[in-house]
Amino acid sequence: MSGWAGETTVAAALRGASGTAALAALYESLSDVHVGLQLEPTLERIVACVVENLGFQVAAVHVTRDDGLLVAAAVAGDEDAKRVLTESSVPLDMWQRQIDQSRPDGPGGTVRWLEPDKLDEWRADGHIVWQPAPRDLPPVPAQGRRVWRREDGLYVPLQSPSHGLIGVLSVDVPDDGLVPTQDQLGLLEMFAVVAAMAIEQARLHADVVRTREDAARALLEHRDTHDGLTDLPSWVLISREIDRLLRDGEPVAVIALNLTAFREVNAVLGHSAGDRLLVSMGPRISPVLPSTATLGRLAGDEFIVLLPGVQRPQQAQQVAEDVRAAVQVPFELDGLSVDLEVACGVVLAPRDGDSAASVLRRVETATSVARRSGSGIAFYDPQSDVRPRNQLGLAGQVRRGLTAGELRPHFQPQVDLRTGEVCGAEALVRWYHPTRGMLPPAAFLDVVEAGDLIHPLTRSVLDQALAAAAGWHAADLDVSVAVNLSTRCLQDRQLVPDVLAALERHGVPAERLTLEITESALMAERPRILAALTNLTDQGVRLSLDDFGTGYSSLSHLRTLPVSELKVDRSFVRDVTGRPTDARLVRTVVDLAHSLGMLVVAEGVEDAATLAALDDMGCDVAQGFHYAPAMPDAAWQAWCRERSAVGELRPDDLAGGRA
């Protein structure tokens, strides 16, 4: 680059074969943009073309960053200059001040910084604006006999209609005072336009990707915090909102709603009708609520209303009465007029609770009082929530009991109604208390669930149950074992690795383990819980939906669950021979489960007549006191051997047989 005035080398090249090469390189760079190549390789190709085809020693593209700095994205040419440029960053507002004085349209024009005493040599000419160099530009050191100085450069601002200033294309100018030609500047600006297009396209693509990611995150957040059937806020979002209100010092009244006779709707009209009824609750209740209220669904037939700012009982009472009146208007389902009642429990926070956990527990207590008393509406009363004295300090005793090995599983047999053979056992925890004797789960599970003990207790029961199952296999008792999981266990990220590690530790095949989960447990953090359950079933573990019919009843979700069996709640099994409604419900559940390829287990079987009725309905497996209560491992194995010795009994050996 020895001469720039008159017939320079660059000008001659542009008029000859090299000029054609420059235009070809420009076209190829433009093609890179259109085919959507990565930004960095495209910019590197552009600066390389500028150096190779326009005769400059150094070319660079600096791109604006979110923090307001221009940083080097691509540099070609002189190695020392490349190093300094790559490591440099310049405040964006300094460049913007210079560009604001230049041509406002198009890519922005070429800005030439000169020392102040050379300013008079050049004036604005077309797209070229000559300006003194800002003093805070970083210097570039000498290389050999040439000095590449920041003030001896051409800087082309790169701008876009949507993002403003998005970068600067810079090239060096020799220090001999000679000036590049108009042809050279024109091509330089055209390369700058291509660079601006590449940056703009990359940013637009990033905006699209970011928008899609934001939308995906919003969708996942919505699924995690809203009920999948009604699209109302779930207990996850309700809990967050209660905690937020209390944290901000704002009082809130909480009304829990429990629908009565909802089981009969499912039993008589089917789960699809029950789902439609649940979906209609939102449009039915919302119009009678204050504009600031939030209506959510907790689980099954349980709904909840938050009333921010309400602290007077009379205000909450009026809303509860309005809600009851709205629900008591008959619903039309499949040509039938369905009448529902609703029991309302009311809590005033922070008076009745200082956290979402305490508020939700106490409003459930109040709802139970309203349901049992028939009053329809009940406010939380601490006297109705008094715990026995012997439960004081119970959590600490449970913790010590776990360490001492006092909490052990008993096993209740499960019998195949087709063959009469024992096919499995459910592990039910018992506490061998040192002073109070053997305690059933009802004596301590509430305390365990309320604290952080549920995880170590579940791990302990699982470990002991699998150890027992390994012993059964050694004793030629090839049956499966079932272990219950609570909602909080399903939310534990260690659940899957803990289960798989326990199976490996005891050498029990995964298909010999059944994990029992409740319908309501699936309401919490549904996507993550389903992912964990699917992971377990992929490894061979079986899943059973426990207490079916008392909680979440959406058919659309039931068919997506990775469960292999349904357990009919004992409250339906107990009266299956005496209440036609319960008999119809159980038969419906059996037909539904079989249509989905699932087995049906009836729990709470206490007599031969119930067993025969269940067998007639097509139930697959039964358990209950009719066979045996839950018992320690040694007694369980002895019971199995004795039963095998006397021969298996099928239900039709006891009562009439299967119709």
Side-chain angles (χ1 to χ4, degrees):
M1 270 193 342
S2 57
W4 288 77
E7 189 70 14
T8 62
T9 304
V10 172
L14 290 171
R15 290 185 173 88
S18 297
T20 303
L23 291 173
L26 180 63
Y27 176 78
E28 291 177 3
S29 299
L30 186 60
S31 298
D32 288 349
V33 175
H34 285 308
V35 299
L37 295 181
Q38 296 278 341
L39 177 61
E40 185 174 339
T42 301
L43 294 180
E44 289 176 350
R45 182 185 182 94
I46 289 172
V47 295
C49 288
V50 169
V51 170
E52 293 170 6
N53 295 282
L54 300 186
F56 293 108
Q57 185 179 8
V58 177
V61 172
H62 282 65
V63 177
T64 58
R65 207 168 59 183
D66 290 341
D67 58 4
L69 290 179
L70 282 159
V71 295
V75 182
D78 181 277
E79 292 300 322
D80 283 347
K82 284 172 61 176
R83 177 180 55 78
V84 174
L85 280 172
T86 302
E87 297 172 356
S88 69
S89 61
V90 182
L92 175 61
D93 58 354
M94 182 198 70
W95 291 94
Q96 191 65 60
R97 287 196 302 272
Q98 299 295 327
I99 292 165
D100 288 343
Q101 303 173 37
S102 68
R103 182 172 179 271
D105 58 334
T110 304
V111 181
R112 164 103 153 98
W113 279 281
L114 294 172
E115 295 177 4
D117 58 356
K118 297 181 180 178
L119 182 60
D120 293 336
E121 295 183 29
W122 309 105
R123 291 289 182 256
D125 180 12
H127 294 171
I128 307 170
V129 178
W130 310 100
Q131 295 288 349
R135 294 183 178 179
D136 49 357
L137 283 172
V140 179
Q143 188 244 347
R145 291 182 298 170
R146 294 180 52 80
V147 177
W148 193 88
R149 297 192 303 276
R150 180 66 74 169
E151 62 268 19
D152 286 337
L154 285 170
Y155 301 84
V156 187
L158 312 177
Q159 300 193 85
S160 80
S162 57
H163 293 96
L165 178 66
I166 55 177
V168 173
L169 171 61
S170 59
V171 296
D172 71 318
V173 172
D175 55 357
D176 54 11
L178 298 178
V179 183
T181 68
Q182 290 297 325
D183 290 337
Q184 191 270 346
L185 292 173
L187 277 173
L188 181 63
E189 288 192 6
M190 293 174 69
F191 274 108
V193 170
V194 176
M197 291 172 60
I199 299 171
E200 172 74 355
Q201 179 169 297
R203 296 201 172 181
L204 289 175
H205 176 70
D207 289 344
V208 170
V209 172
R210 186 160 48 248
T211 300
R212 289 175 178 172
E213 291 175 347
D214 290 344
R217 280 193 294 269
L219 179 60
L220 290 176
E221 172 68 14
H222 186 84
R223 289 177 177 174
D224 284 345
T225 57
H226 287 72
D227 174 53
L229 177 65
T230 64
D231 203 38
L232 294 173
S234 68
W235 75 270
V236 175
L237 187 57
I238 291 295
S239 298
R240 291 180 188 173
E241 183 64 9
I242 294 173
D243 280 332
R244 185 192 67 78
L245 291 168
L246 294 177
R247 189 168 56 249
D248 293 344
E250 184 173 359
V252 58
V254 181
I255 305 174
L257 321 171
N258 181 245
L259 306 179
T260 63
F262 181 70
R263 290 194 313 176
E264 283 73 12
V265 173
N266 277 338
V268 176
L269 299 180
H271 287 267
S272 177
D275 286 350
R276 295 199 303 275
L277 177 61
L278 293 174
V279 170
S280 68
M281 294 301 296
R284 176 68 67 88
I285 296 174
S286 294
V288 304
L289 297 178
S291 59
T292 57
T294 298
L295 172 65
R297 184 186 180 209
L298 293 181
D301 56 2
E302 298 175 7
F303 292 80
I304 192 165
V305 175
L306 302 187
L307 301 172
V310 173
Q311 54 186 338
R312 294 174 54 239
Q314 297 87 340
Q315 294 174 285
Q317 175 82 22
Q318 184 60 57
V319 174
E321 291 175 357
D322 292 343
V323 168
R324 294 192 74 235
V327 175
Q328 287 169 345
V329 176
F331 292 82
E332 295 297 324
L333 288 174
D334 295 343
L336 296 178
S337 181
V338 178
D339 293 307
L340 290 181
E341 290 288 338
V342 59
C344 297
V346 185
V347 160
L348 299 177
R351 186 191 75 178
D352 297 329
D354 58 3
S355 68
S358 60
V359 166
L360 292 176
R361 184 179 65 79
R362 289 169 180 172
V363 78
E364 183 178 354
T365 299
T367 306
S368 298
V369 172
R371 188 171 54 247
R372 290 195 307 267
S373 66
S375 62
I377 300 174
F379 282 75
Y380 174 73
D381 180 3
Q383 295 302 315
S384 65
D385 199 25
V386 175
R387 294 173 180 268
R389 280 185 174 272
N390 59 18
Q391 286 196 325
L392 294 176
L394 193 59
Q397 296 179 43
V398 172
R399 194 181 304 277
R400 289 190 294 272
L402 278 170
T403 304
E406 297 168 1
L407 287 98
R408 309 166 200 162
H410 282 196
F411 299 95
Q412 186 171 41
Q414 297 175 328
V415 177
D416 187 327
L417 296 188
R418 295 283 181 178
T419 65
E421 296 178 352
V422 179
C423 58
E426 180 180 1
L428 300 167
V429 67
R430 300 291 186 264
W431 185 5
Y432 288 80
H433 195 280
T435 60
R436 298 170 58 190
M438 189 179 71
L439 301 178
F444 56 88
L445 276 188
D446 283 347
V447 174
V448 170
E449 286 275 10
D452 60 351
L453 293 171
I454 187 62
H455 300 301
L457 175 60
T458 301
R459 285 192 291 269
S460 175
V461 171
L462 176 66
D463 193 71
Q464 294 181 70
L466 290 177
W472 303 343
H473 179 71
D476 294 326
L477 291 174
D478 289 329
V479 297
S480 62
V481 64
V483 177
N484 289 275
L485 295 181
S486 72
T487 301
R488 294 182 63 189
C489 289
L490 291 175
Q491 295 169 336
D492 185 3
R493 296 184 184 276
Q494 281 297 115
L495 172 65
V496 174
D498 283 349
V499 170
L500 298 181
L503 287 168
E504 183 177 3
R505 183 164 56 250
H506 294 289
V508 176
E511 58 271 16
R512 296 288 184 177
L513 173 63
T514 299
L515 297 177
E516 297 190 3
I517 58 178
T518 63
E519 296 179 71
S520 58
L522 295 172
M523 296 292 293
E525 301 183 32
R526 182 179 179 83
R528 186 158 63 84
I529 287 178
L530 285 181
L533 295 179
T534 302
N535 193 346
L536 288 170
T537 56
D538 287 345
Q539 301 296 323
V541 176
R542 295 167 54 84
L543 294 180
S544 174
L545 196 57
D546 199 8
D547 300 335
F548 185 73
T550 63
Y552 193 49
S553 59
S554 170
L555 286 178
S556 62
H557 286 91
L558 180 60
R559 66 186 181 189
T560 66
L561 300 177
V563 299
S564 55
E565 70 178 38
L566 300 183
K567 292 194 74 173
V568 184
D569 185 65
R570 66 180 63 248
S571 63
F572 301 113
V573 172
R574 182 174 56 243
D575 296 324
V576 74
T577 58
R579 294 185 61 186
T581 299
D582 285 358
R584 286 195 297 271
L585 175 63
V586 173
R587 189 179 294 275
T588 300
V589 170
V590 171
D591 292 342
L592 169 65
H594 288 169
S595 69
L596 295 175
M598 302 177 187
L599 297 177
V600 179
V601 179
E603 57 183 352
V605 179
E606 298 185 358
D607 55 61
T610 299
L611 183 65
L614 292 169
D615 181 58
D616 181 64
M617 294 175 186
C619 190
D620 301 293
V621 178
Q623 70 179 87
F625 278 30
H626 174 69
Y627 289 114
M631 50 195 135
D633 183 27
W636 144 260
Q637 293 195 42
W639 181 88
C640 287
R641 286 192 294 270
E642 180 181 351
R643 181 179 175 83
S644 177
V646 300
E648 312 291 356
L649 290 176
R650 292 189 62 256
D652 50 4
D653 296 325
L654 301 171
R658 193 185 296 268

Coordinates of all heavy atoms in Angstrom, one line a residue, residues 246-282:
L246 N -48.5 -12.9 52.9 CA -48.1 -12.8 54.3 C -46.7 -12.2 54.4 O -46.5 -11.4 55.4 CB -48.1 -14.2 54.9 CG -49.5 -14.9 55.0 CD1 -49.4 -16.3 55.5 CD2 -50.4 -14.1 55.8
R247 N -45.9 -12.5 53.5 CA -44.5 -11.8 53.5 C -44.6 -10.3 53.4 O -43.9 -9.6 53.9 CB -43.7 -12.5 52.4 CG -42.2 -12.1 52.5 CD -41.4 -12.9 51.6 NE -41.8 -12.9 50.2 CZ -42.4 -13.9 49.6 NH1 -42.6 -15.1 50.2 NH2 -42.8 -13.8 48.3
D248 N -45.6 -9.9 52.5 CA -45.8 -8.4 52.3 C -46.6 -7.8 53.4 O -46.9 -6.6 53.3 CB -46.5 -8.2 50.9 CG -45.6 -8.6 49.8 OD1 -44.3 -8.8 50.0 OD2 -46.1 -8.8 48.7
G249 N -47.0 -8.6 54.4 CA -47.8 -8.0 55.5 C -49.3 -7.7 55.2 O -49.9 -7.0 55.8
E250 N -49.8 -8.4 54.1 CA -51.2 -8.2 53.7 C -52.0 -9.3 54.3 O -51.7 -10.5 54.1 CB -51.3 -8.1 52.2 CG -52.7 -7.8 51.7 CD -52.8 -7.6 50.2 OE1 -51.7 -7.7 49.6 OE2 -53.9 -7.3 49.7
P251 N -53.1 -9.0 55.0 CA -54.0 -10.1 55.5 C -54.7 -10.8 54.3 O -54.9 -10.2 53.2 CB -55.0 -9.4 56.3 CG -55.0 -8.0 55.8 CD -53.6 -7.7 55.3
V252 N -55.1 -12.0 54.5 CA -55.8 -12.8 53.4 C -56.8 -13.7 54.1 O -56.4 -14.4 55.1 CB -54.8 -13.5 52.5 CG1 -53.9 -14.4 53.3 CG2 -55.5 -14.2 51.4
A253 N -58.0 -13.8 53.6 CA -59.0 -14.8 54.0 C -58.9 -16.0 53.0 O -58.8 -15.7 51.8 CB -60.4 -14.2 54.1
V254 N -58.9 -17.2 53.5 CA -58.8 -18.4 52.6 C -60.0 -19.2 52.8 O -60.3 -19.6 54.0 CB -57.5 -19.2 52.9 CG1 -57.4 -20.4 52.0 CG2 -56.3 -18.3 52.7
I255 N -60.7 -19.5 51.8 CA -61.9 -20.4 51.8 C -61.7 -21.6 51.0 O -61.4 -21.6 49.8 CB -63.2 -19.6 51.3 CG1 -63.4 -18.3 52.0 CG2 -64.4 -20.5 51.4 CD1 -64.5 -17.5 51.4
A256 N -61.8 -22.8 51.7 CA -61.7 -24.1 51.0 C -63.0 -24.6 50.8 O -63.9 -24.5 51.6 CB -60.8 -25.0 51.8
L257 N -63.3 -25.2 49.6 CA -64.6 -25.7 49.2 C -64.5 -27.2 48.9 O -63.6 -27.6 48.2 CB -65.1 -25.0 47.9 CG -64.8 -23.5 47.7 CD1 -65.2 -23.1 46.4 CD2 -65.6 -22.8 48.8
N258 N -65.4 -28.0 49.5 CA -65.4 -29.4 49.3 C -66.8 -29.8 48.8 O -67.8 -29.6 49.5 CB -65.0 -30.2 50.6 CG -65.0 -31.7 50.4 OD1 -65.9 -32.4 50.9 ND2 -64.2 -32.2 49.5
L259 N -66.8 -30.3 47.6 CA -68.1 -30.7 47.0 C -68.6 -32.0 47.6 O -67.8 -33.0 47.7 CB -68.0 -30.9 45.5 CG -67.4 -29.7 44.7 CD1 -67.3 -30.0 43.2 CD2 -68.3 -28.4 44.9
T260 N -69.9 -32.1 47.9 CA -70.4 -33.3 48.4 C -71.1 -34.0 47.3 O -71.5 -33.4 46.3 CB -71.5 -33.0 49.5 OG1 -72.5 -32.3 49.0 CG2 -70.8 -32.3 50.7
A261 N -71.3 -35.3 47.4 CA -72.0 -36.2 46.4 C -71.2 -36.2 45.1 O -71.8 -36.7 44.1 CB -73.4 -35.7 46.2
F262 N -70.0 -35.7 45.0 CA -69.2 -35.8 43.7 C -68.9 -37.2 43.4 O -68.9 -37.6 42.2 CB -68.0 -35.0 43.8 CG -67.2 -34.9 42.6 CD1 -67.6 -34.3 41.4 CD2 -65.9 -35.6 42.5 CE1 -66.9 -34.3 40.3 CE2 -65.2 -35.6 41.3 CZ -65.7 -34.9 40.2
R263 N -68.7 -38.1 44.3 CA -68.4 -39.5 44.1 C -69.5 -40.1 43.3 O -69.3 -40.9 42.4 CB -68.1 -40.3 45.3 CG -66.8 -39.9 46.0 CD -66.5 -40.9 47.1 NE -67.6 -41.2 48.0 CZ -67.6 -42.2 48.9 NH1 -66.5 -42.9 49.1 NH2 -68.7 -42.4 49.7
E264 N -70.8 -39.8 43.7 CA -71.9 -40.3 43.0 C -72.0 -39.9 41.6 O -72.5 -40.7 40.7 CB -73.2 -39.9 43.8 CG -73.4 -40.7 45.1 CD -72.5 -40.3 46.2 OE1 -71.8 -39.3 46.0 OE2 -72.4 -41.0 47.2
V265 N -71.6 -38.7 41.3 CA -71.6 -38.2 39.9 C -70.7 -39.1 39.0 O -71.0 -39.6 38.0 CB -71.2 -36.8 39.8 CG1 -71.0 -36.3 38.3 CG2 -72.2 -35.9 40.5
N266 N -69.5 -39.4 39.5 CA -68.5 -40.2 38.8 C -69.1 -41.6 38.7 O -68.9 -42.3 37.7 CB -67.2 -40.3 39.6 CG -66.3 -39.1 39.2 OD1 -66.5 -38.5 38.2 ND2 -65.4 -38.8 40.1
A267 N -69.7 -42.1 39.8 CA -70.2 -43.5 39.8 C -71.4 -43.7 38.8 O -71.4 -44.7 38.1 CB -70.6 -43.9 41.2
V268 N -72.3 -42.7 38.8 CA -73.5 -42.9 38.0 C -73.3 -42.5 36.5 O -73.7 -43.2 35.6 CB -74.7 -42.1 38.6 CG1 -75.9 -42.2 37.7 CG2 -75.0 -42.6 40.0
L269 N -72.7 -41.3 36.3 CA -72.5 -40.7 35.0 C -71.2 -41.0 34.4 O -71.0 -40.7 33.2 CB -72.8 -39.2 35.0 CG -74.2 -38.8 35.5 CD1 -74.3 -37.3 35.5 CD2 -75.3 -39.5 34.6
G270 N -70.2 -41.4 35.1 CA -68.9 -41.7 34.6 C -67.9 -40.5 34.8 O -68.3 -39.4 35.2
H271 N -66.6 -40.9 34.7 CA -65.6 -39.9 35.0 C -65.6 -38.7 34.0 O -65.3 -37.6 34.3 CB -64.2 -40.6 34.9 CG -64.0 -41.5 36.1 ND1 -63.3 -41.0 37.2 CD2 -64.3 -42.8 36.3 CE1 -63.3 -42.0 38.1 NE2 -63.8 -43.1 37.5
S272 N -66.0 -38.9 32.8 CA -66.1 -37.9 31.8 C -67.1 -36.8 32.2 O -66.8 -35.6 32.2 CB -66.5 -38.4 30.4 OG -66.6 -37.3 29.5
A273 N -68.2 -37.2 32.7 CA -69.2 -36.3 33.3 C -68.7 -35.6 34.5 O -68.9 -34.4 34.7 CB -70.5 -37.0 33.6
G274 N -68.0 -36.3 35.4 CA -67.4 -35.7 36.5 C -66.3 -34.7 36.2 O -66.3 -33.6 36.8
D275 N -65.6 -34.9 35.1 CA -64.6 -33.9 34.7 C -65.3 -32.7 34.2 O -64.8 -31.6 34.4 CB -63.7 -34.5 33.5 CG -62.7 -35.5 34.1 OD1 -62.6 -35.6 35.3 OD2 -62.1 -36.2 33.3
R276 N -66.4 -32.9 33.4 CA -67.1 -31.7 32.9 C -67.7 -30.9 34.0 O -67.7 -29.6 34.0 CB -68.2 -32.1 31.9 CG -67.7 -32.8 30.7 CD -68.8 -32.8 29.6 NE -70.0 -33.4 30.0 CZ -70.2 -34.7 29.9 NH1 -69.3 -35.5 29.4 NH2 -71.4 -35.2 30.3
L277 N -68.1 -31.5 35.1 CA -68.6 -30.8 36.2 C -67.5 -30.0 36.9 O -67.7 -28.8 37.3 CB -69.2 -31.8 37.2 CG -69.8 -31.2 38.6 CD1 -70.9 -30.2 38.3 CD2 -70.2 -32.3 39.5
L278 N -66.3 -30.6 37.1 CA -65.2 -29.9 37.7 C -64.8 -28.7 36.8 O -64.5 -27.6 37.4 CB -64.0 -30.8 37.9 CG -64.2 -32.0 38.9 CD1 -63.0 -32.9 38.9 CD2 -64.5 -31.4 40.3
V279 N -64.8 -28.9 35.5 CA -64.4 -27.7 34.6 C -65.4 -26.6 34.7 O -65.1 -25.4 34.7 CB -64.3 -28.2 33.2 CG1 -64.2 -27.1 32.2 CG2 -63.2 -29.2 33.0
S280 N -66.7 -26.9 35.0 CA -67.7 -25.9 35.0 C -67.7 -25.1 36.4 O -68.4 -24.1 36.5 CB -69.1 -26.5 34.8 OG -69.5 -27.4 35.9
M281 N -67.0 -25.6 37.3 CA -66.9 -24.9 38.6 C -66.3 -23.5 38.5 O -66.8 -22.6 39.2 CB -66.2 -25.8 39.7 CG -66.8 -27.1 40.0 SD -68.5 -26.9 40.7 CE -68.1 -26.0 42.2
G282 N -65.3 -23.4 37.7 CA -64.7 -22.0 37.6 C -65.7 -21.0 37.1 O -65.9 -20.0 37.7

